[in-house]
């Protein structure tokens, strides 16, 4: 009877119920509220504020008086199952729930960017860009916005060594006052394809061989590049030492796509994002990469985590290039500003600083805070909008769809994805598996309705005009089938790279190309390199241990290589067969 009238956690259930019923207006759960209680007393926004470092203090580690199962039932023993004659019984619900949970403890692996880690920090606006964008978090210098940044390798699997040859993902989630804003980029400013219908092919070309599950399907990798001329700009980056950066910290980040910044008057400019590592950019040689991959497959993850644990703060300077809509015409520029396989020359479009990105806090739990983090280029806040970039247009859909498949439609309830800094959260998307927030919150489930109307017409997208109003499969890619397809890759190879970088690229490429089984694929791929620079193709060819054809075949195949994989019926031919997005005035009432 000593426990009667107390909040002792081992009080008899009947006494606990009586105590609760006897409470008048107060919360009888004194013990439950005074312990961490598996964070069940906190909503995702509270947890998000703590794990990002926006709020300090609070219980973050388990201090419960005893262990339980998922239903809060006390756990008897860690080492002995319930048995009869020593044989385990199906009536041991602790045993069954433990194994059932374990069987389901991994989410579906990300189809893209599966291997990665990340950290929390903040973004600080350092320059006045309010004339360019009405984005809340960019409204004035000195404004700080919490963020989460996830680094990753792009292809292969979750257990892939994070120093091996691969593109690197650079995904930022800004927790702004008008919702979460995601920039989902890479450590390069370009990608392997520009039409979304080729997106799955790019990823599959860098996936395991479906016949034997060997790490690389070399034939697929080089065959795609051999038949995708525009992909060899990124291919050059892939086989250079930029394909093996020295950890997550020593790499720049890029938004890759072109976006619109829209100001309060509705006027917009086009921009490209660059995040320049203040601590410098470093790459590994192929030999260093292979050695580190064998010694420590988590080198990049470990380096980032340990650096932040020591109190250091990796920092990137945030910069943009700016282009006026009337200048965003490939006929004027000689390149397509909305083609993600191309860059904007910096001499023509200089860099402008607008902020800095600082990482200062490690995640508390990898599964909750990193593995379940979900990004989408479609998460755009007022003041930042899409462009006529075809790959961006489709990524805005399929990235979110991939996360809904992997994590669920209510992923916003997971703290790392929660828009906890938004000035309002009143979603018109309801129900779905594991919905635990207010859901309808007493509102009608249809809109418009006669009871409440609180929309924001001021946030409607800025209108812009595209090249034509014809539905077809006709190409609008300005460089398709032209010599200009190779201009920027040639600039990178001939001018930006030095002799050492070119030599490493030759060696790295030959090290992969030698595994291709079909000489036809080798020759067609080298023909693409020949169009970038003859010395590029020759440098790789000379390092192949077995030469199955003469180099003269490469030279011959290089003629017309710009047309590889392009059906004549769909090639651009008319003046309007180009991507443009001109400001359109007088559209809204």
């Amino acid at each position: 009877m000593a426990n009667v009238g107390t909040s002792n956690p081992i009080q008899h259930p009947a006494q606990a119920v009586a105590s609760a019923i006897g409470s008048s207006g107060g919360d009888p759960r004194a013990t439950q509220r005074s312990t961490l209680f598996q964070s069940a007393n906190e909503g995702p926004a509270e947890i998000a504020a703590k794990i990002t470092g926006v709020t300090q203090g609070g219980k973050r580690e388990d201090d419960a008086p005893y262990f339980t199962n998922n239903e809060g039932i006390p756990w008897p023993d860690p080492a002995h199952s319930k048995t009869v004659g020593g044989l385990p019984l199906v009536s041991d619900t602790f045993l069954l729930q433990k194994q059932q949970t374990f069987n389901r403890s991994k989410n579906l692996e990300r189809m893209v960017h599966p291997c990665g880690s990340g950290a929390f920090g903040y973004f600080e606006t350092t320059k006045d860009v309010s004339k360019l964008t009405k984005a809340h978090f960019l409204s004035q210098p000195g404004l700080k916005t919490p963020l989460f940044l996830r680094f990753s390798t792009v292809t292969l699997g979750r257990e892939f060594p994070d120093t091996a040859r691969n593109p690197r993902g650079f995904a930022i989630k800004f927790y702004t006052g008008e919702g979460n804003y995601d920039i989902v980029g890479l450590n390069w400013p370009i990608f392997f394809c520009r039409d979304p219908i080729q997106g799955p092919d790019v990823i599959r070309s860098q996936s395991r061989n479906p016949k034997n599950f060997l790490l690389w399907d070399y034939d697929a990798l080089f065959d795609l590049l051999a038949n995708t001329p525009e992909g060899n700009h990124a291919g050059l980056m892939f086989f250079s030492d930029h394909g093996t950066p020295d950890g997550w910290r020593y790499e720049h980040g890029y938004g890759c796509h072109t976006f619109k910044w829209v100001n309060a008057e509705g006027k917009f400019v086009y921009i490209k994002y660059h995040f320049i590592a203040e601590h410098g950019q470093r790459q590994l040689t192929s030999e260093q990469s292979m050695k580190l991959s064998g010694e420590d497959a988590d080198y990049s993850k470990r380096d980032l985590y340990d650096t932040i644990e020591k109190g250091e703060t990796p920092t990137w300077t945030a910069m943009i290039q700016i282009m006026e809509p009337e200048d965003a015409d490939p006929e004027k520029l000689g390149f397509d500003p909305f083609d993600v396989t191309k860059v904007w020359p910096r001499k023509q479009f200089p860099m402008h600083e607008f902020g800095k990105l600082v990482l200062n806090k490690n995640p508390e739990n990898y599964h909750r805070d990193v593995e379940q983090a979900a990004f989408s280029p479609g998460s755009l806040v007022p003041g930042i909008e899409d462009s006529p970039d075809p790959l961006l247009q489709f990524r805005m859909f399929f990235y979110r769809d991939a996360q809904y498949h992997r994590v669920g439609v209510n992923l916003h309830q997971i703290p790392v994805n929660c828009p906890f800094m938004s000035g309002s959260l009143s979603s018109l998307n309801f129900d779905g598996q594991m919905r635990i927030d207010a859901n309808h919150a007493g509102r009608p489930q249809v809109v418009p309705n006669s009871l409440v109307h609180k929309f924001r017409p001021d946030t409607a997208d800025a209108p812009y005009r595209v090249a034509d109003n014809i539905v077809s499969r006709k190409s609008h890619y300005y460089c398709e089938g032209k010599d200009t397809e190779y201009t920027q890759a040639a600039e990178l190879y001939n001018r930006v790279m030095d002799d050492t970088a070119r030599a490493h690229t030759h060696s790295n490429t030959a090290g992969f190309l030698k595994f291709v089984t079909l000489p036809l694929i080798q020759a067609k791929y080298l023909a693409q390199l020949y169009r970038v620079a003859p010395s590029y193709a020759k440098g790789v060819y000379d390092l192949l241990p077995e030469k199955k054809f003469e180099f003269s075949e490469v030279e011959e195949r290089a003629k017309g290589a710009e047309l590889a994989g392009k059906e004549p019926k769909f090639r651009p031919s008319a003046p309007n067969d180009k991507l443009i997005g001109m400001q359109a005035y007088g559209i809204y009432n």
Side-chain angles (χ1 to χ4, degrees):
M1 298 297 293
N3 291 327
V4 174
T6 73
S7 59
N8 191 310
I10 58 174
Q11 184 177 11
H12 189 278
Q15 295 171 330
V17 170
S19 175
I21 293 174
S23 299
S24 177
D27 189 337
R29 304 178 308 114
T31 300
Q32 293 87 339
R33 292 185 62 83
S34 66
T35 62
L36 180 65
F37 209 63
Q38 202 77 34
S39 288
N41 288 315
E42 301 173 292
E46 291 178 273
I47 298 173
K50 291 178 180 179
I51 64 177
T52 57
V54 169
T55 60
Q56 304 295 321
K59 292 183 179 294
R60 306 305 310 143
E61 296 184 359
D62 179 42
D63 59 352
Y66 54 83
F67 292 122
T68 72
N69 69 359
N70 292 355
E71 287 75 47
I73 301 168
W75 198 292
D77 184 79
H80 299 91
S81 301
K82 180 180 176 181
T83 67
V84 56
L87 302 179
L89 296 174
V90 75
S91 61
D92 186 348
T93 56
F94 295 93
L95 169 64
L96 267 62
Q97 188 179 73
K98 185 175 184 180
Q99 186 62 49
Q100 288 170 316
T101 302
F102 178 80
N103 290 349
R104 298 161 175 80
S105 60
K106 284 189 177 181
N107 287 347
L108 287 172
E109 183 172 286
R110 299 171 198 257
M111 284 300 297
V112 189
H113 302 275
C115 168
S117 67
F120 294 98
Y122 65 88
F123 176 85
E124 181 177 358
T125 302
T126 57
K127 303 293 181 180
D128 185 358
V129 291
S130 59
K131 292 182 180 179
L132 298 176
T133 176
K134 61 183 178 182
H136 180 275
F137 74 109
L138 301 174
S139 58
Q140 61 186 44
L143 191 62
K144 292 184 177 180
T145 301
L147 62 81
F148 177 70
L149 172 55
R150 183 178 183 269
F151 304 89
S152 60
T153 55
V154 174
T155 60
L156 299 165
R158 190 155 39 194
E159 312 304 328
F160 187 61
D162 60 25
T163 50
R165 184 165 306 283
N166 215 250
R168 299 298 191 269
F170 194 96
I172 316 166
K173 187 179 296 292
F174 301 85
Y175 303 99
T176 88
E178 288 193 303
N180 289 353
Y181 172 43
D182 294 348
I183 296 177
V184 191
L186 297 172
N187 66 321
W188 312 332
I190 49 176
F191 194 56
F192 295 88
C193 71
R194 58 194 170 206
D195 195 294
I197 205 165
Q198 284 192 284
D201 300 291
V202 169
I203 303 306
R204 292 187 188 281
S205 77
Q206 297 177 29
S207 300
R208 286 183 176 271
N209 191 312
K211 292 181 180 179
N212 50 32
F213 205 59
L214 296 182
L215 188 61
W216 290 98
D217 185 349
Y218 295 99
D219 284 10
L221 171 62
F222 287 101
D223 203 13
L224 188 70
L225 290 172
N227 289 285
T228 311
E230 66 272 22
N232 287 287
H233 193 182
L236 175 53
M237 294 291 288
F238 181 88
F239 287 113
S240 76
D241 288 344
H242 285 275
T244 52
D246 186 2
W248 308 137
R249 288 191 295 140
Y250 295 102
E251 61 182 37
H252 301 329
Y254 301 90
C256 298
H257 297 289
T258 299
F259 297 90
K260 293 200 303 285
W261 270 13
V262 185
N263 67 17
E265 286 72 47
K267 186 179 185 300
F268 67 76
V269 293
Y270 289 114
I271 62 101
K272 275 188 177 288
Y273 288 114
H274 302 252
F275 299 92
I276 307 303
E278 287 192 359
H279 34 284
Q281 186 176 211
R282 294 197 319 220
Q283 290 88 38
L284 302 169
T285 65
S286 182
E287 292 76 15
Q288 291 171 326
S289 166
M290 285 189 282
K291 186 174 185 292
L292 274 174
S293 295
E295 291 178 348
D296 183 2
D298 299 316
Y299 170 87
S300 303
K301 304 180 196 73
R302 192 185 315 279
D303 174 69
L304 178 68
Y305 186 89
D306 290 348
T307 296
I308 294 174
E309 285 296 291
K310 288 186 291 188
E312 298 179 35
T313 55
T315 303
W316 286 259
T317 300
M319 309 188 83
I320 54 167
Q321 292 174 285
I322 304 170
M323 185 183 295
E324 295 292 338
E326 56 269 24
D327 295 327
D329 187 334
E331 294 285 355
K332 295 181 180 180
L333 299 171
F335 69 92
D336 187 342
F338 306 114
D339 181 345
V340 75
T341 69
K342 306 293 182 286
V343 298
W344 296 1
R346 293 185 184 182
K347 286 184 179 179
Q348 198 171 353
F349 300 96
M351 307 269 277
H352 302 273
E353 179 186 339
F354 72 99
K356 67 177 180 178
L357 188 159
V358 180
L359 300 181
N360 60 10
K361 190 174 187 298
N362 278 317
E364 294 180 0
N365 181 271
Y366 183 87
H367 179 82
R368 184 193 65 188
D369 301 340
V370 182
E371 185 60 22
Q372 295 189 118
F375 299 87
S376 169
S379 294
L380 299 171
V381 294
I384 303 172
E385 297 177 9
D386 62 276
S387 77
D389 177 338
L391 189 61
L392 171 63
Q393 290 287 329
F394 197 62
R395 284 183 81 211
M396 291 171 66
F397 157 71
F398 80 76
Y399 264 62
R400 179 175 283 121
D401 183 67
Q403 301 305 328
Y404 284 169
H405 174 62
R406 189 178 71 89
V407 185
V409 295
N410 290 313
L411 57 83
H412 65 282
Q413 297 176 155
I414 299 168
V416 69
N417 302 319
C418 179
F420 73 102
M421 294 296 291
S422 182
S424 178
L425 183 56
S426 179
S427 178
L428 293 177
N429 300 310
F430 308 125
D431 305 338
Q433 191 174 30
M434 298 297 292
R435 189 72 185 244
I436 60 168
D437 62 9
N439 203 7
H440 295 78
R443 289 169 289 147
Q445 62 178 337
V446 297
V447 289
N449 61 68
S450 302
L451 301 178
V452 60
H453 188 89
K454 47 183 181 180
F455 292 90
R456 288 277 307 277
D458 62 300
T459 65
D461 299 61
Y464 65 94
R465 299 185 189 279
V466 294
D468 59 49
N469 58 2
I470 299 169
V471 176
S472 76
R473 292 188 182 272
K474 190 77 176 293
S475 172
H476 284 63
Y477 303 119
Y478 178 75
C479 292
E480 182 174 316
K482 299 176 183 176
D483 291 342
T484 52
E485 198 73 271
Y486 305 99
T487 302
Q488 292 191 355
E491 174 80 354
L492 173 60
Y493 180 84
N494 290 316
R495 188 187 65 81
V496 179
M497 287 183 167
D498 58 21
D499 289 341
T500 300
R502 284 189 287 268
H504 286 183
T505 302
H506 298 165
S507 176
N508 299 340
T509 308
F512 271 55
L513 189 61
K514 69 183 180 183
F515 290 110
V516 171
T517 61
L518 297 176
L520 173 64
I521 295 175
Q522 289 183 323
K524 289 183 64 176
Y525 171 71
L526 289 172
Q528 292 294 331
L529 302 194
Y530 191 94
R531 293 298 298 272
V532 175
S535 59
Y536 182 11
K538 190 67 163 62
V540 174
Y541 177 84
D542 287 346
L543 292 174
L544 290 175
E546 182 183 1
K547 297 173 179 61
K548 303 173 184 178
F549 48 86
E550 298 297 325
F551 191 70
S552 58
E553 182 178 341
V554 175
E555 295 174 316
E556 188 62 29
R557 288 187 177 277
K559 300 171 184 176
E562 72 279 6
L563 302 176
K566 311 304 178 188
E567 289 289 338
K569 178 176 181 177
F570 305 119
R571 292 177 198 156
S573 57
N576 283 341
D577 292 342
K578 58 183 179 180
L579 298 170
I580 61 170
M582 298 300 176
Q583 184 104 40
Y585 297 98
I587 304 300
Y588 295 130
N589 298 327

